[in-house]
Amino acid sequence: MAYLTSHSTPLPESVRIGLIGSGWMGAFHAESIARRVPGAVLGAIADPNLGSAEDLAASLGVAKVTASPEDVMADPTIDAVVIASPARFHAALITQAALAGKDVFCEKPAAQDLDELDAALAAVQAGGVHFQIGFNRRYAEDFLAAKEDVAAGIIGRPQLLRSLTRDPGNGSIPHAAKVPAWTIFLETLIHDFDTLNWFNEGAEPVEVYAVADALVEPGLRDQGFLDTAVVTIRYSNGAIGVAEANFSALYGYDVRGEVFGSQGMVQAGRATETAARRYGANGAAAKTPRLNVELFRQAYTAELADFAAVVSARRDGVPSLAAAFTVTPGAADARRALACALACIESVKQGGPVPVPGALTLQSLPAT
């Protein structure tokens, strides 16, 4: 039987993405691109650990595998790259990709200091490529719904904001001695800083005061390891944000956010997988997520779908649609969150509040 009609308009060409880094997060992004992101094709995988890259490629049917990211950057069939390497390589890889004309999605943090980041973002601007940072919470349905309320003015002017991250654990942290210094700020709380900045969009973080300690692994305190932190952030519009983190929540992976405003409050996130509860002789219970890829599976997929859609639209000359607020986290967002993280490090060292690098001065409060 023949088709009744033929397509009069060709379907959009898929965006071909090269992955840099095949570790835990890279492997999950690879699976998302290959199986769940519409309009995207995983075209190549690069990792110095070639065996890891080959195993991942075989599982997903990817033909191009290499130990060298430069091979992916030089490949004319690759439209964009997803960078999921260790953080210390991010800035250099962003620069390489931009110079090669590849659009860039990079896991956080985009760099380890502001000079390094500024150099990479200058390359992005010079190359005219699209840049997106992996702040996936913006794509989680409940966080997005909360942002919609804030942007619509439903809760009034934000006054108090909160964001927390409690990683799942069992009361100890395996390989804690190998965790890089300041990870709690640069790779964990940096998500919370972006969440607070996004919820309070239009204002700038001015000052932070961070308190941190090793409460899960106190034996590593003298080595500089930190597993618990609370940060207060003052914003240019007078709002006050609080971010907190701990590396060992026995009950599961817990990420939540809240904005209290002059006319109400909105909350996002919960510590349970669903709203379902079991009730029995021992009380009430609920299932809790234990992995980031469980809690944020939808958000991880949505952020890559957004990236692929923007790359496709830019390639095909399709104008972007106007929106009530910005979701896609870009260069300014990457810099703002990193500046907060670096200020926290200085705050812990100094034992008091410190200004956020490049921050504005505190503005007079607007009328309610």
Side-chain angles (χ1 to χ4, degrees):
M1 176 180 175
Y3 290 114
L4 299 178
T5 59
S6 61
H7 289 290
S8 57
T9 302
L11 295 175
E13 183 181 351
S14 294
V15 172
R16 296 188 61 82
I17 296 176
L19 174 72
I20 313 297
S22 59
W24 168 258
M25 201 64 248
F28 187 78
H29 283 328
E31 182 190 359
S32 296
I33 296 165
R35 296 175 176 170
R36 292 186 293 274
V37 176
V41 171
L42 184 58
I45 300 174
D47 195 309
N49 184 345
L50 191 56
S52 170
E54 288 176 333
D55 289 344
L56 180 61
S59 70
L60 297 173
V62 177
K64 295 182 178 180
V65 186
T66 177
S68 174
E70 287 76 11
D71 292 337
V72 176
M73 308 298 186
D75 188 339
T77 70
I78 297 297
D79 301 305
V81 296
V82 168
I83 299 171
S85 64
R88 64 185 181 276
F89 302 118
H90 286 181
L93 289 168
I94 291 169
T95 299
Q96 291 175 31
L99 293 176
K102 309 297 185 187
D103 294 308
V104 182
F105 176 98
C106 184
E107 268 301 332
K108 49 72 194 170
Q112 295 187 301
D113 65 58
L114 292 179
D115 289 341
E116 186 182 57
L117 177 58
D118 286 344
L121 295 181
V124 166
Q125 185 174 22
V129 300
H130 174 57
F131 173 81
Q132 182 175 330
I133 184 75
F135 290 139
N136 61 293
R137 291 182 199 180
R138 294 183 178 215
Y139 297 88
E141 292 175 348
D142 47 353
F143 280 82
L144 188 55
K147 172 64 177 181
E148 289 174 351
D149 282 355
V150 174
I154 292 173
I155 64 140
R157 176 172 54 84
Q159 296 173 343
L160 296 172
L161 305 97
R162 175 177 290 273
S163 183
L164 66 85
T165 300
R166 297 172 185 165
D167 290 346
N170 59 9
S172 66
I173 304 172
H175 312 299
K178 298 181 179 180
V179 175
W182 309 114
T183 290
I184 197 165
F185 297 121
L186 292 170
E187 299 199 34
T188 300
L189 278 166
I190 197 166
H191 275 295
D192 299 271
F193 301 149
D194 179 68
T195 297
L196 296 173
N197 294 341
W198 185 50
F199 280 161
N200 198 26
E201 192 169 8
E204 292 291 328
V206 172
E207 181 185 83
V208 304
Y209 182 22
V211 178
D213 204 344
L215 302 182
V216 183
E217 295 287 354
L220 296 175
R221 182 180 292 115
D222 292 342
Q223 300 179 33
F225 176 73
L226 300 171
D227 54 43
T228 306
V230 177
V231 179
T232 302
I233 305 175
R234 291 295 305 272
Y235 282 91
S236 57
N237 64 351
I240 302 171
V242 175
E244 68 168 76
N246 182 280
F247 285 168
S248 187
L250 272 66
Y251 58 87
Y253 196 36
D254 185 4
V255 174
R256 286 174 279 150
E258 177 180 292
V259 184
F260 174 88
S262 57
Q263 297 181 33
M265 178 186 71
V266 63
Q267 295 178 323
R270 61 184 173 216
T272 61
E273 285 185 349
T274 69
R277 298 288 188 276
R278 297 189 303 271
Y279 295 87
N282 294 323
K287 289 184 177 180
T288 57
R290 298 285 163 168
L291 297 172
N292 57 342
V293 295
E294 294 174 350
L295 182 63
F296 287 119
R297 183 181 182 87
Q298 166 267 325
Y300 281 128
T301 303
E303 67 177 352
L304 290 174
D306 181 24
F307 177 66
V310 172
V311 172
S312 177
R314 285 166 54 89
R315 181 194 61 197
D316 299 338
V318 178
S320 58
L321 299 176
F325 58 88
T326 300
V327 176
T328 307
D333 303 302
R335 195 182 196 282
R336 190 176 289 114
L338 180 60
C340 287
L342 295 171
C344 287
I345 294 172
E346 287 304 310
S347 178
V348 171
K349 290 178 178 178
Q350 297 181 24
V354 301
V356 176
L360 303 174
T361 57
L362 190 65
Q363 301 168 353
S364 58
L365 299 179
T368 56

